[in-house]
Amino acid sequence: MPTSTEEAKAQSAKWAEEIKYHAARSIWHKRTQRVPSRRYSWGKWFEVKFGEPLDAYAERMKGQKNQKG
């Protein structure tokens, strides 16, 4: 039986993945534009924030969607 700590960790991981997904969706159309408060693009911001290039993440999500049908 899972403990509340394990459940909390699982919930946190789920929320983190949802935040990453929605961040990617929200910046996809402006990924080459510059972030107002930084000297790099939104695509680079995603990579700095989440540790994965936006294009690679999009391809991975596309592959998962295709597998699910």
Side-chain angles (χ1 to χ4, degrees), residues 7 33 43 49 51 58:
E7 291 170 354
Q33 296 175 11
K49 176 81 172 164

Side-chain angles (χ1 to χ4, degrees), residues 50-64:
F50 298 108
E52 180 178 10
L54 181 59
D55 292 335
Y57 178 76
E59 283 298 315
R60 186 165 57 85
M61 290 294 104
K62 184 179 176 182
Q64 286 181 4

Side-chain angles (χ1 to χ4, degrees), residues 7 10 14 17 25 30-34 40 44-46 55 57 59 68-69:
E7 291 170 354
K14 181 182 175 191
E17 191 57 38
R25 283 189 55 119
K30 60 182 180 181
R31 65 191 176 275
T32 60
Q33 296 175 11
R34 199 178 82 136
Y40 47 76
K44 181 66 176 174
W45 173 88
F46 185 89
D55 292 335
Y57 178 76
E59 283 298 315
K68 289 181 181 179

Side-chain angles (χ1 to χ4, degrees), residues 10-41:
Q11 184 64 49
S12 292
K14 181 182 175 191
W15 286 339
E17 191 57 38
E18 288 176 0
I19 289 168
K20 185 176 183 178
Y21 173 78
H22 288 289
R25 283 189 55 119
S26 70
I27 67 169
W28 180 255
H29 68 282
K30 60 182 180 181
R31 65 191 176 275
T32 60
Q33 296 175 11
R34 199 178 82 136
V35 176
S37 61
R38 303 279 188 247
R39 293 181 180 229
Y40 47 76
S41 69

